[in-house]
mmCIF file of all heavy atoms in Angstrom:
data_model
loop_
_atom_site.group_PDB
_atom_site.id
_atom_site.type_symbol
_atom_site.label_atom_id
_atom_site.label_comp_id
_atom_site.label_asym_id
_atom_site.label_seq_id
_atom_site.Cartn_x
_atom_site.Cartn_y
_atom_site.Cartn_z
ATOM 1 N N TYR F 64 -134.385 -72.278 119.887
ATOM 2 C CA TYR F 64 -134.124 -72.206 121.308
ATOM 3 C C TYR F 64 -133.598 -73.665 121.675
ATOM 4 O O TYR F 64 -132.697 -73.851 122.472
ATOM 5 C CB TYR F 64 -135.476 -72.028 122.030
ATOM 6 C CG TYR F 64 -135.467 -72.329 123.558
ATOM 7 C CD1 TYR F 64 -134.908 -71.312 124.494
ATOM 8 C CD2 TYR F 64 -135.768 -73.491 124.049
ATOM 9 C CE1 TYR F 64 -134.931 -71.508 125.701
ATOM 10 C CE2 TYR F 64 -135.684 -73.843 125.433
ATOM 11 C CZ TYR F 64 -135.275 -72.747 126.345
ATOM 12 O OH TYR F 64 -135.262 -73.004 127.707
ATOM 13 N N LEU F 65 -134.133 -74.648 121.053
ATOM 14 C CA LEU F 65 -133.634 -76.082 121.415
ATOM 15 C C LEU F 65 -132.161 -76.219 121.014
ATOM 16 O O LEU F 65 -131.405 -76.949 121.743
ATOM 17 C CB LEU F 65 -134.453 -77.101 120.633
ATOM 18 C CG LEU F 65 -135.943 -77.154 121.216
ATOM 19 C CD1 LEU F 65 -136.685 -78.231 120.409
ATOM 20 C CD2 LEU F 65 -135.959 -77.545 122.610
ATOM 21 N N ALA F 68 -130.356 -74.532 123.823
ATOM 22 C CA ALA F 68 -130.433 -75.373 125.015
ATOM 23 C C ALA F 68 -129.526 -76.636 125.044
ATOM 24 O O ALA F 68 -128.931 -76.944 125.988
ATOM 25 C CB ALA F 68 -131.782 -75.847 125.117
ATOM 26 N N LEU F 71 -126.015 -75.486 125.493
ATOM 27 C CA LEU F 71 -125.800 -75.149 126.971
ATOM 28 C C LEU F 71 -125.653 -76.321 127.704
ATOM 29 O O LEU F 71 -124.693 -76.459 128.726
ATOM 30 C CB LEU F 71 -127.022 -74.229 127.422
ATOM 31 C CG LEU F 71 -126.930 -73.891 128.836
ATOM 32 C CD1 LEU F 71 -125.565 -73.317 129.375
ATOM 33 C CD2 LEU F 71 -128.088 -73.085 129.209
ATOM 34 N N ILE F 72 -126.499 -77.332 127.537
ATOM 35 C CA ILE F 72 -126.452 -78.647 128.323
ATOM 36 C C ILE F 72 -124.981 -79.328 128.124
ATOM 37 O O ILE F 72 -124.449 -79.849 129.007
ATOM 38 C CB ILE F 72 -127.619 -79.544 127.970
ATOM 39 C CG1 ILE F 72 -129.051 -78.938 128.472
ATOM 40 C CG2 ILE F 72 -127.401 -80.944 128.629
ATOM 41 C CD1 ILE F 72 -130.144 -79.668 127.962
ATOM 42 N N VAL F 83 -126.932 -72.329 134.684
ATOM 43 C CA VAL F 83 -127.180 -71.219 133.918
ATOM 44 C C VAL F 83 -128.648 -71.001 133.515
ATOM 45 O O VAL F 83 -129.225 -72.068 133.023
ATOM 46 C CB VAL F 83 -126.378 -71.272 132.510
ATOM 47 C CG1 VAL F 83 -126.671 -69.968 131.722
ATOM 48 C CG2 VAL F 83 -124.856 -71.234 132.760
ATOM 49 N N VAL F 84 -129.209 -69.792 133.723
ATOM 50 C CA VAL F 84 -130.625 -69.489 133.401
ATOM 51 C C VAL F 84 -130.724 -68.974 131.997
ATOM 52 O O VAL F 84 -130.168 -67.899 131.853
ATOM 53 C CB VAL F 84 -131.270 -68.680 134.506
ATOM 54 C CG1 VAL F 84 -132.734 -68.474 134.154
ATOM 55 C CG2 VAL F 84 -131.041 -69.309 135.821
ATOM 56 N N LEU F 85 -131.382 -69.631 131.282
ATOM 57 C CA LEU F 85 -131.644 -69.179 129.721
ATOM 58 C C LEU F 85 -132.993 -68.670 129.700
ATOM 59 O O LEU F 85 -133.985 -69.355 130.128
ATOM 60 C CB LEU F 85 -131.448 -70.382 128.849
ATOM 61 C CG LEU F 85 -131.197 -69.972 127.394
ATOM 62 C CD1 LEU F 85 -129.877 -69.218 127.109
ATOM 63 C CD2 LEU F 85 -131.155 -71.274 126.486
ATOM 64 N N ARG F 87 -136.117 -66.456 127.296
ATOM 65 C CA ARG F 87 -136.638 -66.081 125.981
ATOM 66 C C ARG F 87 -137.934 -65.243 125.983
ATOM 67 O O ARG F 87 -138.415 -64.983 127.227
ATOM 68 C CB ARG F 87 -136.891 -67.426 125.205
ATOM 69 C CG ARG F 87 -138.026 -68.387 125.857
ATOM 70 C CD ARG F 87 -138.034 -69.627 125.067
ATOM 71 N NE ARG F 87 -138.991 -70.640 125.624
ATOM 72 C CZ ARG F 87 -140.355 -70.751 125.228
ATOM 73 N NH1 ARG F 87 -140.676 -70.036 124.322
ATOM 74 N NH2 ARG F 87 -141.115 -71.616 125.821
ATOM 75 N N THR F 149 -139.242 -75.992 139.051
ATOM 76 C CA THR F 149 -140.553 -75.735 138.490
ATOM 77 C C THR F 149 -141.298 -76.916 138.019
ATOM 78 O O THR F 149 -140.648 -77.763 137.278
ATOM 79 C CB THR F 149 -140.486 -74.695 137.390
ATOM 80 O OG1 THR F 149 -139.727 -73.407 137.910
ATOM 81 C CG2 THR F 149 -141.813 -74.183 136.957
ATOM 82 N N LYS F 161 -133.322 -83.110 139.536
ATOM 83 C CA LYS F 161 -132.796 -82.009 138.964
ATOM 84 C C LYS F 161 -133.367 -80.711 139.627
ATOM 85 O O LYS F 161 -132.769 -79.824 139.916
ATOM 86 C CB LYS F 161 -133.051 -81.926 137.339
ATOM 87 C CG LYS F 161 -132.644 -80.875 136.634
ATOM 88 C CD LYS F 161 -133.621 -79.775 136.404
ATOM 89 C CE LYS F 161 -133.199 -78.603 135.570
ATOM 90 N NZ LYS F 161 -134.179 -77.565 135.454
ATOM 91 N N GLU F 162 -134.680 -80.716 139.846
ATOM 92 C CA GLU F 162 -135.327 -79.550 140.468
ATOM 93 C C GLU F 162 -134.831 -79.455 141.913
ATOM 94 O O GLU F 162 -134.795 -78.239 142.304
ATOM 95 C CB GLU F 162 -136.856 -79.877 140.319
ATOM 96 C CG GLU F 162 -137.384 -79.688 138.838
ATOM 97 C CD GLU F 162 -138.646 -80.408 138.583
ATOM 98 O OE1 GLU F 162 -139.075 -81.175 139.418
ATOM 99 O OE2 GLU F 162 -139.248 -80.239 137.487
ATOM 100 N N GLU F 165 -131.406 -78.047 141.729
ATOM 101 C CA GLU F 165 -131.312 -76.629 141.192
ATOM 102 C C GLU F 165 -131.732 -75.647 142.359
ATOM 103 O O GLU F 165 -131.078 -74.744 142.534
ATOM 104 C CB GLU F 165 -132.456 -76.457 140.111
ATOM 105 C CG GLU F 165 -132.514 -75.049 139.503
ATOM 106 C CD GLU F 165 -133.705 -75.041 138.443
ATOM 107 O OE1 GLU F 165 -134.084 -76.107 138.020
ATOM 108 O OE2 GLU F 165 -133.943 -73.863 137.982
ATOM 109 N N VAL F 282 -139.767 -65.177 129.851
ATOM 110 C CA VAL F 282 -139.687 -66.386 130.658
ATOM 111 C C VAL F 282 -138.266 -67.010 130.622
ATOM 112 O O VAL F 282 -137.513 -66.677 129.763
ATOM 113 C CB VAL F 282 -140.758 -67.485 130.115
ATOM 114 C CG1 VAL F 282 -142.098 -67.072 130.283
ATOM 115 C CG2 VAL F 282 -140.359 -67.861 128.676
ATOM 116 N N GLY F 283 -138.037 -67.751 131.614
ATOM 117 C CA GLY F 283 -136.707 -68.334 131.740
ATOM 118 C C GLY F 283 -136.757 -69.710 132.350
ATOM 119 O O GLY F 283 -137.686 -70.043 133.120
ATOM 120 N N GLY F 284 -135.607 -70.348 132.349
ATOM 121 C CA GLY F 284 -135.525 -71.725 132.903
ATOM 122 C C GLY F 284 -134.118 -72.092 133.226
ATOM 123 O O GLY F 284 -133.160 -71.616 132.613
ATOM 124 N N GLY F 285 -133.867 -72.729 134.469
ATOM 125 C CA GLY F 285 -132.607 -72.972 134.942
ATOM 126 C C GLY F 285 -131.976 -74.288 134.481
ATOM 127 O O GLY F 285 -132.734 -75.395 134.522
ATOM 128 N N PHE F 286 -130.943 -74.240 133.788
ATOM 129 C CA PHE F 286 -130.238 -75.340 133.174
ATOM 130 C C PHE F 286 -129.225 -75.811 134.112
ATOM 131 O O PHE F 286 -128.365 -75.124 134.524
ATOM 132 C CB PHE F 286 -129.660 -75.033 131.784
ATOM 133 C CG PHE F 286 -130.728 -75.042 130.809
ATOM 134 C CD1 PHE F 286 -131.530 -73.773 130.598
ATOM 135 C CD2 PHE F 286 -130.776 -75.959 129.790
ATOM 136 C CE1 PHE F 286 -132.431 -73.763 129.597
ATOM 137 C CE2 PHE F 286 -131.755 -75.923 128.834
ATOM 138 C CZ PHE F 286 -132.488 -74.758 128.618
ATOM 139 N N THR F 287 -129.208 -77.242 134.330
ATOM 140 C CA THR F 287 -128.092 -77.982 134.963
ATOM 141 C C THR F 287 -127.554 -79.045 133.987
ATOM 142 O O THR F 287 -128.266 -79.276 133.075
ATOM 143 C CB THR F 287 -128.521 -78.546 136.254
ATOM 144 O OG1 THR F 287 -129.410 -79.603 135.935
ATOM 145 C CG2 THR F 287 -129.181 -77.451 137.140
ATOM 146 N N ASP F 289 -128.242 -81.994 134.152
ATOM 147 C CA ASP F 289 -129.250 -82.947 134.155
ATOM 148 C C ASP F 289 -130.519 -82.443 133.241
ATOM 149 O O ASP F 289 -131.410 -83.182 133.183
ATOM 150 C CB ASP F 289 -129.840 -83.403 135.448
ATOM 151 C CG ASP F 289 -128.750 -84.019 136.313
ATOM 152 O OD1 ASP F 289 -128.047 -84.885 135.787
ATOM 153 O OD2 ASP F 289 -128.504 -83.473 137.401
ATOM 154 N N SER F 290 -130.478 -81.235 132.709
ATOM 155 C CA SER F 290 -131.686 -80.757 132.061
ATOM 156 C C SER F 290 -131.900 -81.419 130.608
ATOM 157 O O SER F 290 -131.009 -81.982 130.030
ATOM 158 C CB SER F 290 -131.269 -79.214 131.785
ATOM 159 O OG SER F 290 -131.509 -78.386 132.824
ATOM 160 N N VAL F 291 -133.121 -81.398 130.365
ATOM 161 C CA VAL F 291 -133.618 -81.869 128.894
ATOM 162 C C VAL F 291 -134.181 -80.653 128.296
ATOM 163 O O VAL F 291 -135.073 -79.927 128.721
ATOM 164 C CB VAL F 291 -134.707 -83.078 129.183
ATOM 165 C CG1 VAL F 291 -135.245 -83.396 127.874
ATOM 166 C CG2 VAL F 291 -134.214 -84.124 130.044
ATOM 167 N N ALA F 292 -133.706 -80.427 127.138
ATOM 168 C CA ALA F 292 -134.012 -79.259 126.405
ATOM 169 C C ALA F 292 -135.453 -78.994 126.167
ATOM 170 O O ALA F 292 -135.977 -77.864 126.328
ATOM 171 C CB ALA F 292 -133.297 -79.300 124.950
ATOM 172 N N GLN F 293 -136.121 -79.996 125.745
ATOM 173 C CA GLN F 293 -137.626 -79.873 125.442
ATOM 174 C C GLN F 293 -138.316 -79.683 126.703
ATOM 175 O O GLN F 293 -139.318 -78.869 126.641
ATOM 176 C CB GLN F 293 -138.151 -81.193 124.812
ATOM 177 C CG GLN F 293 -139.655 -81.142 124.450
ATOM 178 C CD GLN F 293 -139.922 -80.093 123.407
ATOM 179 O OE1 GLN F 293 -139.197 -79.919 122.421
ATOM 180 N NE2 GLN F 293 -141.019 -79.285 123.656
ATOM 181 N N ASN F 294 -137.916 -80.109 127.764
ATOM 182 C CA ASN F 294 -138.564 -79.829 129.154
ATOM 183 C C ASN F 294 -138.618 -78.375 129.553
ATOM 184 O O ASN F 294 -139.343 -77.788 130.038
ATOM 185 C CB ASN F 294 -138.056 -80.871 130.241
ATOM 186 C CG ASN F 294 -138.445 -82.181 130.030
ATOM 187 O OD1 ASN F 294 -139.253 -82.650 129.117
ATOM 188 N ND2 ASN F 294 -137.763 -83.173 130.896
ATOM 189 N N GLU F 295 -137.255 -77.835 129.118
ATOM 190 C CA GLU F 295 -137.038 -76.431 129.554
ATOM 191 C C GLU F 295 -137.963 -75.545 128.593
ATOM 192 O O GLU F 295 -138.442 -74.347 129.112
ATOM 193 C CB GLU F 295 -135.613 -76.032 129.469
ATOM 194 C CG GLU F 295 -134.615 -76.892 130.364
ATOM 195 C CD GLU F 295 -134.886 -76.635 131.813
ATOM 196 O OE1 GLU F 295 -135.593 -75.508 132.096
ATOM 197 O OE2 GLU F 295 -134.496 -77.409 132.614
ATOM 198 N N TRP F 296 -138.087 -75.951 127.446
ATOM 199 C CA TRP F 296 -139.019 -75.157 126.385
ATOM 200 C C TRP F 296 -140.377 -75.171 126.959
ATOM 201 O O TRP F 296 -141.029 -74.151 127.122
ATOM 202 C CB TRP F 296 -139.000 -75.793 125.163
ATOM 203 C CG TRP F 296 -140.065 -75.153 124.157
ATOM 204 C CD1 TRP F 296 -141.341 -75.695 124.068
ATOM 205 C CD2 TRP F 296 -139.937 -74.052 123.454
ATOM 206 N NE1 TRP F 296 -142.124 -74.905 123.074
ATOM 207 C CE2 TRP F 296 -141.076 -73.864 122.761
ATOM 208 C CE3 TRP F 296 -139.002 -73.081 123.026
ATOM 209 C CZ2 TRP F 296 -141.401 -72.834 121.781
ATOM 210 C CZ3 TRP F 296 -139.192 -72.041 122.172
ATOM 211 C CH2 TRP F 296 -140.427 -71.885 121.648
ATOM 212 N N GLN F 297 -140.870 -76.357 127.456
ATOM 213 C CA GLN F 297 -142.210 -76.531 127.892
ATOM 214 C C GLN F 297 -142.504 -75.598 129.206
ATOM 215 O O GLN F 297 -143.497 -75.069 129.554
ATOM 216 C CB GLN F 297 -142.538 -77.955 128.135
ATOM 217 C CG GLN F 297 -144.079 -78.154 128.472
ATOM 218 C CD GLN F 297 -145.015 -77.662 127.485
ATOM 219 O OE1 GLN F 297 -144.854 -77.857 126.338
ATOM 220 N NE2 GLN F 297 -146.022 -76.806 127.925
ATOM 221 N N GLU F 298 -141.298 -75.671 130.109
ATOM 222 C CA GLU F 298 -141.391 -74.908 131.349
ATOM 223 C C GLU F 298 -141.695 -73.500 131.088
ATOM 224 O O GLU F 298 -142.471 -72.801 131.804
ATOM 225 C CB GLU F 298 -140.059 -75.049 132.103
ATOM 226 C CG GLU F 298 -140.133 -74.286 133.443
ATOM 227 C CD GLU F 298 -138.863 -74.406 134.340
ATOM 228 O OE1 GLU F 298 -138.293 -75.622 134.434
ATOM 229 O OE2 GLU F 298 -138.240 -73.516 134.752
ATOM 230 N N GLY F 299 -141.006 -72.872 130.085
ATOM 231 C CA GLY F 299 -141.358 -71.537 129.640
ATOM 232 C C GLY F 299 -142.776 -71.208 129.188
ATOM 233 O O GLY F 299 -143.355 -70.372 129.618
ATOM 234 N N GLU F 300 -143.271 -72.229 128.441
ATOM 235 C CA GLU F 300 -144.575 -72.095 127.944
ATOM 236 C C GLU F 300 -145.578 -72.020 129.226
ATOM 237 O O GLU F 300 -146.506 -71.328 129.255
ATOM 238 C CB GLU F 300 -145.018 -73.420 127.205
ATOM 239 C CG GLU F 300 -144.197 -73.456 125.787
ATOM 240 C CD GLU F 300 -144.555 -72.353 124.836
ATOM 241 O OE1 GLU F 300 -145.754 -72.267 124.455
ATOM 242 O OE2 GLU F 300 -143.664 -71.552 124.444
ATOM 243 N N ASN F 301 -145.242 -72.933 130.194
ATOM 244 C CA ASN F 301 -146.259 -72.938 131.456
ATOM 245 C C ASN F 301 -146.053 -71.699 132.183
ATOM 246 O O ASN F 301 -147.104 -71.174 132.698
ATOM 247 C CB ASN F 301 -145.797 -74.204 132.343
ATOM 248 C CG ASN F 301 -145.870 -75.558 131.659
ATOM 249 O OD1 ASN F 301 -146.666 -75.714 130.634
ATOM 250 N ND2 ASN F 301 -145.132 -76.506 131.999
ATOM 251 N N LYS F 302 -144.908 -71.203 132.433
ATOM 252 C CA LYS F 302 -144.764 -69.925 133.093
ATOM 253 C C LYS F 302 -145.463 -68.718 132.456
ATOM 254 O O LYS F 302 -146.043 -67.867 132.979
ATOM 255 C CB LYS F 302 -143.177 -69.648 133.250
ATOM 256 C CG LYS F 302 -142.457 -70.535 134.065
ATOM 257 C CD LYS F 302 -140.987 -70.279 134.326
ATOM 258 C CE LYS F 302 -140.328 -71.151 135.517
ATOM 259 N NZ LYS F 302 -138.804 -70.835 135.459
#
Side-chain angles (χ1 to χ4, degrees):
Y64 175 85
L65 292 178
L71 173 53
I72 294 169
V83 173
V84 178
L85 194 63
R87 61 187 176 96
T149 305
K161 180 262 182 185
E162 290 155 351
E165 181 184 351
V282 297
F286 282 77
T287 69
D289 300 311
S290 290
V291 176
Q293 183 60 45
N294 292 350
E295 300 295 343
W296 170 267
Q297 188 58 48
E298 180 179 313
E300 297 292 300
N301 298 337
K302 288 177 175 177

